[in-house]
Amino acid sequence: MTHTLILPGLHDSDPSHWQSRWEAGDETMERVIQDDWETPHCAEWVARLDQALERTGPETLLVAHSAGCALVAHWAVGCSRGRVRGALLVAPSDPEAANFPSGPTGFAPMPLVRLPFPSVVVASSNDPFVTVVRAQAFARAWGSEFVMIGDAGHINTASGLGDWPEGLALLRSLRENSRTRFHRDGGYLSTDLRGPRGYSDGEQFVKGVQNTSPRSL
């Protein structure tokens, strides 16, 4: 059985957050509970994730949001191959940005090394905690597929995504290990995962992002 570990960011994910909704609807999903959600030490979050992975085994998927993405990047620096099947990294907040909270420690600098497992970075064009350029840089360094979903803020409860079925479809494709690699020669996929599946004619995409044909999720 494939287990999925839910990795919220700072302050945890409230009951209306898509992470909480996914967890409530799938018994194979489990939240990694941290002792300190407000002013954590990154090393303590890494240790807690490592403990959880000891229990769940190598067929584990990671679903991270916000500072949870930095947690995955830091954990991956010292991990051995084969412990994680894949990771969905949503709205990776930038721990080096001026507006990153001052309480948490050890999250900066963000590790920029290739992850030893398949991954997808999902970003919004108006996320207050990470610029599109930085989110792209994270995806490129981590070897991740990059997916833009337009104006969705921090891709949290305030974004109004509900159960966010399009994001869940990305997770399922990771689980099935059958998703297509769209990032070739530095090109990344941009698509709107909030509503109509495919491109929005009115969407403004970052210069240099490779536009491919719309795909069904």
Side-chain angles (χ1 to χ4, degrees), residues 21-43:
R21 290 169 176 260
W22 290 6
E23 181 186 12
D26 189 336
E27 63 181 10
T28 68
M29 293 190 180
E30 171 190 346
R31 184 175 312 225
V32 175
I33 304 297
Q34 302 291 352
D35 291 332
D36 185 351
W37 290 108
E38 315 300 323
T39 57
H41 298 287
C42 184

Side-chain angles (χ1 to χ4, degrees), residues 122-123 147-152 161 164 166-167 170 189-203 205 214-215 217:
V122 183
V147 181
M148 274 285 294
I149 68 170
D151 296 343
L161 299 174
W164 195 29
E166 294 83 6
L170 279 178
L189 169 69
S190 286
T191 187
D192 191 336
L193 294 180
R194 295 173 303 163
R197 290 167 182 166
Y199 294 104
S200 169
D201 291 337
E203 193 65 48
F205 296 104
R215 64 168 176 165
L217 294 177

Side-chain angles (χ1 to χ4, degrees), residues 39-175:
T39 57
H41 298 287
C42 184
E44 294 177 356
W45 276 25
V46 168
R48 183 60 56 83
L49 172 57
D50 204 59
Q51 291 169 4
L53 285 167
E54 288 293 335
R55 289 188 293 99
T56 58
E59 287 296 301
T60 302
L61 290 168
L62 305 178
V63 176
H65 176 257
S66 192
C69 299
L71 161 62
V72 172
H74 279 280
W75 175 84
V77 169
C79 77
S80 56
R81 289 183 177 273
R83 296 190 65 190
V84 166
R85 183 168 179 174
L88 183 65
L89 307 169
V90 181
S93 56
D94 186 352
E96 298 168 59
N99 64 344
F100 191 78
S102 58
T105 57
F107 289 85
M110 179 75 87
L112 298 177
V113 296
R114 190 176 185 88
L115 301 178
F117 42 79
S119 57
V120 179
V121 170
V122 183
S124 163
S125 60
N126 64 339
D127 191 330
F129 298 106
V130 65
T131 66
V132 173
V133 172
R134 280 290 279 173
Q136 282 184 303
F138 296 156
R140 185 176 294 110
W142 297 338
S144 308
E145 178 182 339
F146 183 78
V147 181
M148 274 285 294
I149 68 170
D151 296 343
H154 197 42
I155 317 182
N156 54 11
T157 301
S159 303
L161 299 174
D163 291 341
W164 195 29
E166 294 83 6
L168 189 57
L170 279 178
L171 178 63
R172 287 173 179 153
S173 70
L174 273 172
R175 181 183 293 130

